[in-house]
Amino acid sequence: MRAFNEARYVASIGKLSQLPAEGPPEIAFCGRSNVGKSSAINALTGRKRLAFTSKTPGRTQTINFFDVGEGVRLADLPGYGFARVPQSVRAQWDRLVGGYLSCRASLAALVIIMDARRPFTEHDVRMLDWAQPLDRPVLVLLSKADKLSKRERSAALAQARATFAARHLAGEVRLFSSVTRESVDEVRALLAEWVDTWGAGHTNKKTPGKGE
Ligand code: GDP
């Protein structure tokens, strides 16, 4: 099984022209800003400060790439859903993230992090709409699950699973907490399995590199 450790910074890009060459299978992480995406990446990779958050709207428009363990790359996509950002910043986000998702041959899976207390916001749903045609498995993590009571947890999970199923996406929904580390090991194992499955289907296919 592939390990999610030994994380190594690869690149930060603000323009599609700066994308690193296609390489190992990539898992893209996205979510509304402040949803706990950086904390989730840090928990999953076992690193304290691998992924940083910028709390300044408009200053988070980069995709950050990290290699983790053997042959897996994480792509930390810029957060979405800032309340007051200029239209130009939104348009730049759309170009960068939309362009990355639609062109990236190495993309193996997508992780969409949503707040367990308020999942499927308008922005989250838009992200799912973008994910739909990609034909990659999607993992929805309901973050900050430690803030829910036992009853709220089951209700949130059941409702999120129903909403996810109704959209006919391949993938799974899990409660997640970086604080209690709930689901950390399961998510690592699941993503490793998806990457292996993806890798098995692509070993004999040539993936287009930059400039080809
Ligand atoms: P990002 O903007 O999506 O990268 O979010 P961060 O990882 O920076 O987290 C935003 C805030 O939520 C921070 O104050 C974190 O301490 C807090 N946070 C993140 N994950 C959790 C979690 O699982 N449980 C709780 N209770 N708080 C969390």
Side-chain angles (χ1 to χ4, degrees):
M1 191 170 87
R2 295 169 202 250
F4 281 77
N5 51 20
E6 300 165 26
R8 191 176 62 81
Y9 171 80
V10 176
S12 246
I13 65 132
K15 290 181 186 162
L16 288 174
S17 58
Q18 301 165 330
L19 269 174
E22 301 275 1
E26 256 161 45
I27 304 171
F29 283 73
C30 58
R32 200 159 53 77
S33 54
N34 219 32
V35 75
K37 175 167 58 73
S38 307
S39 305
I41 292 174
N42 292 337
L44 290 167
T45 55
R47 294 277 295 261
K48 282 204 172 69
R49 291 162 67 82
L50 183 66
F52 289 100
T53 35
S54 165
K55 299 297 170 206
T56 317
R59 295 202 57 193
T60 50
Q61 304 283 311
T62 56
I63 303 179
N64 306 317
F65 294 90
F66 308 98
D67 280 346
V68 290
E70 295 158 53
V72 184
R73 186 166 283 175
L74 301 191
D76 179 11
L77 305 188
Y80 49 77
F82 280 114
R84 281 181 294 268
V85 292
Q87 186 52 39
S88 59
V89 173
R90 284 178 208 266
Q92 195 214 335
W93 190 97
D94 281 5
R95 266 198 308 280
L96 183 65
V97 175
Y100 164 78
L101 292 175
S102 60
C103 82
R104 198 64 169 164
S106 324
L107 182 66
L110 191 61
V111 179
I112 305 181
I113 302 173
M114 301 183 191
D115 191 315
R117 297 161 297 175
R118 294 176 290 277
F120 300 100
T121 64
E122 179 195 337
H123 295 282
D124 295 327
V125 167
R126 184 157 178 257
M127 198 69 224
L128 286 172
D129 289 340
W130 282 24
Q132 190 110 40
L134 300 177
D135 198 21
R136 309 299 208 279
V138 174
L139 176 60
V140 171
L141 294 183
L142 301 173
S143 76
K144 308 191 187 181
D146 55 285
K147 294 198 180 230
L148 299 185
S149 69
K150 209 171 163 194
R151 182 197 293 256
E152 287 168 335
R153 288 165 53 86
S154 352
L157 188 59
Q159 196 169 14
R161 285 190 166 146
T163 307
F164 186 79
R167 304 188 78 85
H168 305 293
L169 286 155
E172 298 212 12
V173 180
R174 295 284 167 98
L175 289 163
F176 188 89
S177 167
S178 307
V179 170
T180 63
R181 302 187 59 81
E182 174 176 2
S183 297
V184 167
D185 290 338
E186 293 89 327
V187 166
R188 280 183 182 150
L190 184 64
L191 292 176
E193 191 189 308
W194 285 359
V195 164
D196 282 344
T197 306
W198 184 90
H202 286 74
T203 36
N204 298 320
K205 284 187 204 162
K206 189 167 163 9
T207 48
K210 249 175 123 179
E212 284 181 290

